[in-house]
Amino acid sequence: MRAIGIILAGGNNHRMKELSQKRAIGAMPIAGSYRAIDFALSNMSNSHIQKVAVFTQYNARSLNEHLSSSKWWDFGRKQGGLFVFTPALTAENSYWYRGTADAINQNLEYLKSSHEPYVVICSSDCVYKLDYNKVLEFHIEKKADITVVCKDMDARVDIDRYGTVKMNEECQIMDFEEKPVVAKSNTISCGIYVIRRRLLIEMIERCAEEDRYDFVRDILIRYKDQKRIFGYKMKEYWKNIASVDDYFSANMDFLKSEIRDYFFKQYPDIYSKVDDLPPAKYNPGAHISNSLISSGTIVNGTVEDSVVFRKAFIGNNCTIKNSIILNDVYIGDNSYIENCIVETGSTMKANSYHKGENGIEIVVENSERFVM
Amino acid sequence: MLLAGGQGSRLGVLTSKVAKPAVSFGGKYRIIDFPLSNCINSGVDTVGVLTQYQPLRLNTHIGIGIPWDLDRNIGGVTVLPPYEKISSTEWYTGTANAIYQNVDYIDSFNPEYVLILSGDHIYKMDYEVMLDFHKQNKAECTIAVMPVPMEEAKRFGIMITDENRKITDFEEKPENPRSNLASMGIYIFNWKTLKEALTAEADQPNLDFGKHVIPYCHKKGAPLYAYEFTGYWKDVGTLNSYWEANMELIDIVPEFNLYEEYWKIYTKSEALPPQYFASTSKVEKSIIGEGTEIYGEVYNSVIGCGVTIGKGTVVRDSIIMNHSVIGVDCELNKTIVAEDVHIGNGSRFGIGDEAENETDPHIYNHGLVCIGEKSVIPEGITVGKNACIFGVTDESDYQNNELPSGKTLNKAGEE
């Protein structure tokens, strides 16, 4: 492959509410047995990108744990591999990452010491499959300076948290607005960029000299009239999970057979860290309908229209409806849960009752757990 | 040294294309995962796996040992098939002969002790405790034994010990057993003792641990001890015991518990996605592997990874291995379905009265139906009990769309 990869996994955001207290968004569990960053990493690996850097900063423990070995994504090799960059004190610098461009600037050596001509930059919080080679081919064909992967969003979707773009018929981006109050277009940027490595180094260095730190605002928007910036339209499934509602609906999408088919059965695969959990177990009293259940889980009750992650325990006579139960949750007997996201590691006493009345409720409950 | 070369012919078509240690077990595992996981959990990180019979799946499963953390700079896992020599090229003719042919491999690590295991038992055991016992007693050979009911003792190799567990005598499958301590086929030897015994007995045909090496050591007066193991241990040598051991996993608190944090069992994970249950599905008392999609009903069954079970299908008391596809409106009773099998819509298995299997009554019994790997079964077939199907079949292979109890239909060419 002619590119190296950069995955930006440093940010925090308040739209994830309690869910981001525990972890960076890239480490959010998704679709029963994956983490959000698995999609970006698997796409990189499946596009034959051999050298990938992950920039982390906010609450990276869970993410670092997930990335503790690079072999799951086939990055455990002598040539290239997976690099995790957290901010570090150096002789020249004692700042945290002040923005995406600053993160790249603080690790510019990674870009300078590589020899591949291109860089693919993406974020860690999106669910999609994409062969970056196709974007790169488009980039070369258009003789673009920067290519931005874009997607037409459904008119009903609220797009005020995305960057919106306007393209001409040549696919050149004429206008780029970050998080507009009133959007002029329903084409959004997916946060995936292809750029020539030397150009990126040059622009990042110029940015740093001017004390500018943000890749979108200070590079894309600032240079949109000077550089040839093109938009590659993505038609396939793509979803950003960085808000509670989007996170919930992205998980629920996997209850649709065409989405499961697309991600789990069609080439290429999505990889994740392997946990060595036993198969899921269903005891008498288990009733399951339209749900996803992951390995290591033991079910004794009713589960409907829900996604249950790994190593959960659902007690006798429980009812779980339209909910997401994250990893390692213990739900005591006779509990009722509807329209909820139950946070990783929660322990619920018997007879608990949680129902999200206005939208999705996030449940964090750490009662004492008694295990055999 | 893990002996994984055996065919396991009493598992019938399940082992016609794979060695017995590579047969699926408990949904996502293969039998060899148990001894391999025991090794790494006991701190044994240098393992030679002796293969001979149908090693392809075993080789791809073990690879460089990543799932068991046996990909090491020093030691790790090495697959040891028989190989050509300048003189006397031969297959592994017996358990001890296989070790004898790999003396160089063991010597290259210059070990103090060698642990001999077989690749076809289901159990969790800390070999380090056994080694401590071995060292404590200054034994030259320690044999793991487990107490069995007296009436079953005549099926095993029986050890007779004194009060200190020192072995005074042993008998192979005795008519009138004098003890109920059965050998589990797990040995620890001082490498010096074992090497000497192997060299001395090398010319014995079918050199075997139970028949030659242990008696030789005993005759020489080497101290032999019996290490008693009382945990769960299951030989899955026959179809029925294989089926029973799988069924024991679905008890509410199974005697053999896979859900303990301590002493995990590792395996190569082929599939990662969660399982999907449609709104038409029902499931009770079952364990189910990753990526399986269930539209029908499943009771008392063990289902592997990546399996699809169609709408209206009822699966009872059955084992379905990885990546098999069961059509809609089928019925499976006490059926063992091997990997990558396609079953057409509306087919029914385990129907009707029992009848003894006409070709191999010692293999296909207890009312089990057995379907070999990569078999294809057309729509609307009714299959009786104690029956066996192997290979790609179509309507013309069945009379009146029926395979009566006790019949074997083998189109794969070899048994």
Side-chain angles (χ1 to χ4, degrees):
Chain A
M1 176 68 178
R2 291 163 293 171
I4 55 171
I6 290 178
I7 299 177
L8 301 168
N12 174 28
N13 93 46
H14 59 91
R15 282 184 301 266
M16 288 305 267
K17 299 189 186 152
E18 294 92 326
L19 292 175
S20 65
Q21 282 176 9
K22 211 160 184 152
R23 57 181 92 69
I25 297 171
M28 278 308 292
I30 191 149
S33 32
Y34 300 89
R35 302 267 177 176
I37 199 170
D38 289 335
F39 293 89
L41 283 171
S42 302
N43 286 334
M44 293 274 180
S45 180
N46 291 328
S47 305
H48 306 290
I49 296 177
Q50 285 199 349
K51 188 174 171 187
V52 174
V54 178
F55 293 160
T56 73
Q57 168 160 285
Y58 173 77
N59 211 352
R61 185 203 58 80
S62 173
L63 189 62
N64 285 340
E65 190 181 314
H66 188 61
L67 302 178
S68 62
S69 170
S70 50
K71 61 182 157 194
W72 314 119
W73 304 273
D74 235 353
F75 287 127
R77 42 196 66 258
K78 291 190 292 179
Q79 304 295 323
L82 186 66
F83 299 78
V84 179
F85 292 126
T86 30
L89 282 179
T90 62
E92 298 93 48
N93 176 50
S94 57
Y95 293 104
W96 293 91
Y97 295 152
R98 287 162 290 184
T100 43
D102 189 39
I104 299 173
N105 184 50
Q106 288 193 30
N107 298 290
L108 212 54
E109 210 35 55
Y110 167 76
L111 289 177
K112 286 183 170 169
S113 64
S114 301
H115 56 81
E116 288 83 350
Y118 296 97
V119 184
V120 175
I121 304 175
C122 67
S123 64
S124 66
D125 55 359
C126 296
V127 177
Y128 64 106
K129 269 188 185 179
L130 178 63
D131 184 351
Y132 299 128
N133 288 306
K134 288 193 184 144
V135 188
L136 185 58
E137 276 162 29
F138 171 90
H139 179 84
I140 294 166
E141 185 198 306
K142 294 285 179 191
K143 297 193 174 60
D145 290 318
I146 303 174
T147 296
V148 181
V149 177
C150 299
K151 185 163 179 68
D152 289 336
M153 296 298 272
D154 197 327
R156 284 165 298 175
V157 178
D158 202 4
I159 53 174
D160 61 0
R161 66 189 182 86
Y162 300 104
T164 59
V165 300
K166 253 189 162 163
M167 295 185 216
N168 66 9
E169 51 285 3
E170 295 286 294
C171 294
Q172 187 162 2
I173 292 180
M174 310 311 291
D175 204 359
F176 198 116
E177 274 189 294
E178 182 70 344
K179 301 180 177 114
V181 183
V182 181
K184 293 183 201 140
S185 134
N186 68 336
T187 307
I188 61 146
S189 156
C190 297
I192 305 162
Y193 317 104
V194 172
I195 181 168
R196 210 153 42 77
R197 184 173 56 88
R198 287 185 187 285
L199 178 66
L200 180 64
I201 294 172
E202 192 185 298
M203 293 177 95
I204 292 281
E205 280 181 334
R206 202 182 311 161
C207 247
E209 277 166 23
E210 296 168 355
D211 286 332
R212 296 174 185 274
Y213 308 119
D214 190 70
F215 183 79
V216 174
R217 195 177 55 232
D218 300 326
I219 292 180
L220 282 185
I221 297 181
R222 200 167 143 82
Y223 289 96
K224 68 172 187 282
D225 300 328
Q226 280 182 11
K227 299 284 180 195
R228 287 168 61 82
I229 304 183
F230 279 75
Y232 172 92
K233 273 217 180 146
M234 187 172 168
K235 305 240 165 27
E236 296 84 2
Y237 183 93
W238 176 89
K239 199 157 210 166
N240 181 287
I241 58 150
S243 79
V244 171
D245 288 341
D246 281 338
Y247 174 69
F248 189 84
S249 73
N251 275 293
M252 290 302 166
D253 280 345
F254 282 89
L255 295 179
K256 298 174 193 153
S257 74
E258 68 272 16
I259 303 281
R260 278 201 314 282
D261 252 28
Y262 176 62
F263 278 103
F264 299 155
K265 296 203 174 152
Q266 290 172 25
Y267 178 86
D269 289 339
I270 304 295
Y271 315 107
S272 188
K273 186 179 169 188
V274 173
D275 259 350
D276 290 304
L277 290 166
K281 186 157 180 277
Y282 304 91
N283 287 330
H287 292 282
I288 296 156
S289 118
N290 190 36
S291 296
L292 285 168
I293 314 277
S294 307
S295 50
T297 286
I298 300 177
V299 183
N300 296 296
T302 302
V303 182
E304 287 173 13
D305 307 318
S306 297
V307 179
V308 181
F309 284 72
R310 292 172 174 185
K311 259 175 87 181
F313 178 90
I314 295 169
N316 288 317
N317 205 20
C318 285
T319 303
I320 317 286
K321 270 188 189 163
N322 195 38
S323 293
I324 293 174
I325 312 292
L326 294 181
N327 293 308
D328 196 21
V329 168
Y330 181 98
I331 299 175
D333 296 351
N334 310 316
S335 295
Y336 183 90
I337 293 169
E338 188 174 348
N339 302 338
C340 289
I341 298 176
V342 182
E343 175 62 294
T344 299
S346 290
T347 302
M348 298 179 137
K349 285 192 197 140
N351 308 311
S352 298
Y353 180 91
H354 290 282
K355 186 174 179 191
E357 297 290 354
N358 309 309
I360 302 306
E361 183 188 327
I362 296 170
V363 180
V364 185
E365 192 174 320
N366 292 312
S367 308
E368 205 169 335
R369 189 183 301 195
F370 300 97
V371 284
M372 280 182 293
Chain B
M1 300 296 281
L2 181 48
L3 299 160
Q7 178 186 358
S9 57
R10 285 171 305 158
L11 286 180
V13 290
L14 294 187
T15 53
S16 58
K17 292 280 180 177
V18 293
K20 179 167 151 192
V23 171
S24 299
F25 183 85
K28 64 186 286 194
Y29 304 100
R30 295 185 188 278
I31 295 170
I32 198 171
D33 292 335
F34 295 86
L36 275 180
S37 300
N38 285 339
C39 278
I40 195 69
N41 289 340
S42 309
V44 178
D45 61 8
T46 305
V47 183
V49 180
L50 299 129
T51 62
Q52 173 158 290
Y53 175 79
Q54 291 282 13
L56 175 62
R57 185 153 317 153
L58 206 50
N59 286 339
T60 48
H61 184 65
I62 294 171
I64 59 165
I66 287 177
W68 306 273
D69 271 342
L70 284 168
D71 49 330
R72 301 280 168 147
N73 283 335
I74 300 166
V77 67
T78 311
V79 177
L80 302 166
Y83 55 95
E84 197 177 353
K85 301 167 201 72
I86 288 177
S87 59
S88 81
T89 296
E90 58 177 355
W91 294 101
Y92 294 152
T93 55
T95 50
N97 177 268
I99 305 293
Y100 176 67
Q101 294 197 36
N102 287 289
V103 163
D104 290 346
Y105 168 77
I106 303 175
D107 264 343
S108 69
F109 296 101
N110 192 24
E112 192 88 5
Y113 307 103
V114 175
L115 170 68
I116 311 285
L117 303 168
S118 74
D120 44 12
H121 299 137
I122 306 295
Y123 63 111
K124 293 183 187 179
M125 180 173 175
D126 191 342
Y127 303 132
E128 200 165 11
V129 177
M130 182 173 166
L131 183 60
D132 287 343
F133 175 89
H134 178 85
K135 288 185 203 163
Q136 212 173 24
N137 288 306
K138 299 198 168 54
E140 290 191 21
C141 167
T142 299
I143 301 169
V145 294
M146 72 179 298
V148 294
M150 217 50 181
E151 55 272 20
E152 290 206 9
K154 57 174 171 286
R155 294 202 294 123
F156 296 93
I158 293 297
M159 304 292 145
I160 296 117
T161 65
D162 67 10
E163 65 280 10
N164 295 324
R165 291 281 176 230
K166 186 166 179 186
I167 295 172
T168 54
D169 204 0
F170 44 81
E171 4 184 67
E172 192 66 24
K173 302 195 172 111
E175 271 305 310
N176 300 304
R178 285 184 283 154
S179 143
N180 68 338
L181 295 176
S183 164
M184 298 160 65
I186 300 166
Y187 314 101
I188 291 178
F189 284 95
N190 289 357
W191 175 227
K192 222 176 105 199
T193 311
L194 177 60
K195 192 175 170 184
E196 197 233 298
L198 289 173
T199 317
E201 295 279 288
D203 294 334
Q204 292 277 6
N206 304 336
L207 189 62
D208 184 85
F209 276 100
K211 290 197 195 95
H212 308 110
V213 175
I214 307 282
Y216 174 85
C217 293
H218 189 57
K219 212 163 61 201
K220 292 267 291 185
L224 309 181
Y225 279 81
Y227 169 76
E228 192 176 324
F229 178 74
T230 48
Y232 182 94
W233 181 82
K234 191 97 185 179
D235 178 68
V236 287
T238 65
L239 264 190
N240 190 51
S241 66
Y242 171 80
W243 179 80
E244 271 177 16
N246 272 286
M247 290 301 134
E248 279 166 9
L249 294 174
I250 60 180
D251 292 341
I252 297 195
V253 178
E255 195 186 341
F256 188 71
N257 196 341
L258 295 167
Y259 294 81
E260 295 165 326
E261 269 300 296
Y262 172 72
W263 217 265
K264 270 191 181 179
I265 303 299
Y266 311 102
T267 187
K268 184 178 172 193
S269 286
E270 294 173 16
L272 283 163
Q275 307 146 22
Y276 177 73
F277 291 87
S279 45
T280 48
S281 71
K282 281 192 185 133
V283 57
E284 210 168 89
K285 267 196 89 181
S286 297
I287 58 174
I288 297 177
E290 283 110 335
T292 288
E293 304 217 333
I294 294 180
Y295 299 90
E297 300 174 24
V298 179
Y299 305 100
N300 294 327
S301 295
V302 174
I303 315 284
C305 301
V307 172
T308 306
I309 294 176
K311 199 172 157 183
T313 291
V314 180
V315 179
R316 274 178 215 278
D317 308 318
S318 295
I319 299 168
I320 301 177
M321 299 187 198
N322 297 351
H323 305 299
S324 283
V325 177
I326 318 288
V328 302
D329 298 322
C330 296
E331 186 182 335
L332 281 74
N333 299 299
K334 281 189 84 168
T335 304
I336 301 175
V337 179
E339 296 171 46
D340 298 306
V341 169
H342 276 257
I343 293 181
N345 299 342
S347 286
R348 298 157 72 221
F349 299 86
I351 306 293
D353 299 328
E354 291 234 3
E356 194 172 77
N357 188 274
E358 52 179 7
T359 49
D360 305 283
H362 61 289
I363 299 176
Y364 307 109
N365 44 37
H366 291 85
L368 292 165
V369 183
C370 192
I371 302 169
E373 67 168 44
K374 299 198 174 86
S375 295
V376 175
I377 292 162
E379 296 188 1
I381 302 295
T382 302
V383 177
K385 290 175 177 154
N386 295 331
C388 165
I389 301 173
F390 188 29
V392 178
T393 62
D394 57 36
E395 274 89 355
S396 64
D397 297 314
Y398 301 87
Q399 281 183 336
N400 308 323
N401 282 343
E402 195 181 1
L403 186 73
S405 291
K407 295 280 182 196
T408 301
L409 175 62
N410 189 338
K411 285 194 77 187
E414 51 186 319
E415 183 65 89

